Amino acid sequence: MKKLTNKEREIMELYWQHGPMFVRELLGYYEEPKPHFNTLSTMVRALEKNGFLGHKQFGNTFQYYAQVSEREFGKQGIAGMVQNYFDNSYLSVVSSFVKDEKISVDELQELIDLIKRKEQEDT
């Protein structure tokens, strides 16, 4: 999945929060100085081209909607971070939290319990 620029992420967050809308409606969520309609429209079409948005046609205008949920997008971001910074090792991620004292023994036990429950569900 393609990484989003700050402006693209801002647009996606508006779609995730407010659901399907036309570009003119999207523009209404911006504070002054608002982006130009054509600029926003171009960015929305680029997000559609990259698979983040889809559209329904109403006459000669389009209502856009998110095709990727915020959760799906976040999961891809985490996977990319683990791959790029932790040599694709989730153990390295957790180990770094332990070393930096960002996770407690109780939280680690919760993770272990979660993994055990997941394994039981899968069998």
Side-chain angles (χ1 to χ4, degrees):
M1 186 175 295
K2 181 184 177 291
K3 186 177 175 183
L4 296 177
T5 66
N6 289 340
K7 294 290 184 189
E8 290 171 330
R9 180 160 179 95
E10 190 176 279
I11 291 168
M12 287 305 300
E13 286 174 356
L14 289 168
Y15 277 101
W16 289 326
Q17 290 170 11
H18 301 287
M21 61 186 134
F22 299 94
V23 174
R24 199 153 305 285
E25 291 173 302
L26 177 65
L27 190 60
Y29 287 104
Y30 282 87
E31 294 181 11
E32 295 295 339
K34 294 179 186 279
H36 191 275
F37 177 86
N38 291 341
T39 303
L40 195 56
S41 181
T42 298
M43 293 178 76
V44 165
R45 286 193 312 274
L47 285 166
E48 181 180 31
K49 180 182 175 192
N50 289 317
F52 289 97
L53 295 175
H55 76 263
K56 293 180 190 170
Q57 188 167 354
F58 292 88
N60 55 354
T61 189
F62 299 109
Q63 182 185 54
Y64 293 91
Y65 57 90
Q67 289 209 135
V68 175
S69 73
E70 189 170 14
R71 182 175 175 90
E72 290 171 308
F73 179 74
K75 285 170 71 174
Q76 290 297 320
I78 291 168
M81 181 191 68
V82 172
Q83 182 178 6
N84 294 331
Y85 299 105
F86 294 94
D87 205 24
N88 214 23
S89 168
Y90 286 87
L91 178 59
S92 293
V93 174
V94 175
S95 296
S96 75
F97 288 138
V98 170
K99 289 175 190 168
D100 294 341
E101 298 179 9
K102 302 286 186 192
I103 191 167
S104 70
V105 172
D106 289 339
E107 290 170 320
L108 283 172
Q109 188 58 54
E110 285 182 46
L111 282 174
I112 292 167
D113 293 343
L114 180 64
I115 292 167
K116 286 179 180 178
R117 282 194 305 273
K118 177 72 173 130
E119 285 178 346
Q120 289 173 350
E121 290 173 5
D122 291 345
T123 57

